[in-house]
Amino acid sequence: MYADKKPDKIDPNEKRLGKWLNCALSYEPLREPCVIDKLGNIFNKEALVEALLGKKLPKEFRHIKGLKDMINIKLSMIPGKHSDAADGATFQCPISGLEFNGKYKFFALKNCGHVVSAKALKEVKSSACLVCHKEFMDSDKMVINGSEEEVAALRERMEEEKAKTMKEKKKRGIDIVDGKKDCGNLEVNGKKSSNGGVKKFRAMDMAPANATKEVYASIFTSSKKSDFKETYMCRSLPLGRN
């Protein structure tokens, strides 16, 4: 009678339903608009955005940095059900009618956002979405609430995409620097300028072939400075001295 009481076992069915029917962050029932991350976790978009803005994301979701890390999805409501219903699944596959409750595998298509069951994709062989008929590739299929192996594969793909993006950004940065260097060597009348691409304009450099450079330059008041020396008797500057 004094034996320690064993903790109650968690019903696996309840755990499964909680994962598929509720937001992975707020644990509130799923209601549109919904999103998934690149690991297949499903969220209420409002709850996820609020956590991002407030910098309150748990450690397991720190890979989500902004909207670019979210994929908007379109869930199909079961006819007669409401988004706040608490008695079982609320959504279903729009093709096969299978309930979105964790008993069946579901995929979200990144290119259009529709959520369909793996059974529907297997039975109807098509390279277009079965709902909106938009073309998609295998890489557009994101498994929702996948197994440990499936999540590991998604994580690996996410890291590869991140590395690729960083490499492209770094390459663009090098191109921009090279572009600035190239702009430094401009050619003016056959003469190269290496002072960062900015060469001071001088009228005599633009003189016609048969003109005397000094005479041509004298047309422009700014081309030659006067030899006038200022004294205490005259503080004014002559016309053209500037």
Side-chain angles (χ1 to χ4, degrees), residues 58 60 70 76 84 103 132 140 143 150-151 157 166 178 185 190 211 229 231 233 242:
E60 61 267 29
M70 306 178 198
S76 299
D84 56 352
K103 289 184 178 181
C132 65
D140 290 323
V143 65
E150 289 169 331
V151 172
R157 186 200 298 182
M166 292 297 293
D178 288 344
N185 297 321
K229 293 183 179 180
T231 66
M233 294 293 292
N242 47 38

Side-chain angles (χ1 to χ4, degrees), residues 185-200:
N185 297 321
L186 297 181
E187 192 168 317
V188 180
N189 286 349
K191 298 179 181 179
K192 287 189 176 181
S193 168
S194 58
N195 59 346
V198 179
K199 183 175 176 65
K200 187 176 180 181

Side-chain angles (χ1 to χ4, degrees), residues 23-226:
C23 169
L25 181 63
S26 67
Y27 304 109
E28 295 178 349
L30 292 174
R31 57 176 62 89
E32 294 186 305
C34 294
V35 295
I36 61 171
D37 63 8
K38 294 182 179 180
L39 299 181
N41 298 300
I42 188 167
F43 307 88
N44 288 330
K45 187 173 184 177
E46 184 179 353
L48 184 55
V49 170
E50 286 181 358
L52 273 171
L53 293 175
K55 298 181 179 181
K56 297 179 180 179
L57 275 180
K59 186 177 180 180
E60 61 267 29
F61 300 134
R62 293 286 171 82
H63 58 277
I64 304 174
K65 305 296 183 183
L67 294 176
K68 61 182 176 59
D69 297 316
M70 306 178 198
I71 300 169
N72 294 304
I73 61 173
K74 301 172 184 176
L75 293 166
S76 299
M77 190 82 68
I78 297 176
K81 282 288 185 95
H82 301 285
S83 59
D84 56 352
D87 54 345
T90 306
F91 305 102
Q92 66 176 5
C93 172
I95 306 301
S96 64
L98 295 177
E99 291 187 351
F100 190 79
N101 57 13
K103 289 184 178 181
Y104 315 99
K105 183 182 291 188
F106 276 77
F107 288 97
L109 304 179
K110 288 196 299 183
N111 60 327
C112 64
H114 284 108
V115 175
V116 294
S117 64
K119 183 179 180 181
L121 291 175
K122 183 178 180 180
E123 291 182 351
V124 184
K125 301 291 184 181
S126 176
S127 59
C129 174
L130 302 176
V131 181
C132 65
H133 309 295
K134 188 174 181 178
E135 293 287 331
F136 70 90
M137 299 183 294
D138 284 340
S139 59
D140 290 323
K141 295 193 299 184
M142 297 284 296
V143 65
I144 298 177
N145 290 330
S147 63
E148 290 184 6
E149 293 77 12
E150 289 169 331
V151 172
L154 289 175
R155 188 180 297 278
E156 184 178 352
R157 186 200 298 182
M158 180 181 69
E159 295 298 331
E160 288 176 355
E161 290 177 354
K162 189 185 298 183
K164 184 178 179 181
T165 301
M166 292 297 293
K167 187 176 180 180
E168 289 175 353
K169 285 183 178 180
K170 187 176 180 181
K171 185 179 179 182
R172 284 199 300 269
I174 293 173
D175 290 343
I176 291 171
V177 172
D178 288 344
K180 288 181 178 178
K181 288 180 180 178
D182 291 341
C183 289
N185 297 321
L186 297 181
E187 192 168 317
V188 180
N189 286 349
K191 298 179 181 179
K192 287 189 176 181
S193 168
S194 58
N195 59 346
V198 179
K199 183 175 176 65
K200 187 176 180 181
F201 174 79
R202 295 193 306 168
M204 63 176 60
D205 291 335
M206 306 300 294
N210 298 325
T212 304
K213 289 186 177 182
E214 288 74 11
V215 175
Y216 182 79
S218 67
I219 300 173
F220 304 92
T221 57
S222 61
S223 298
K224 184 177 181 181
K225 297 203 178 278
S226 173

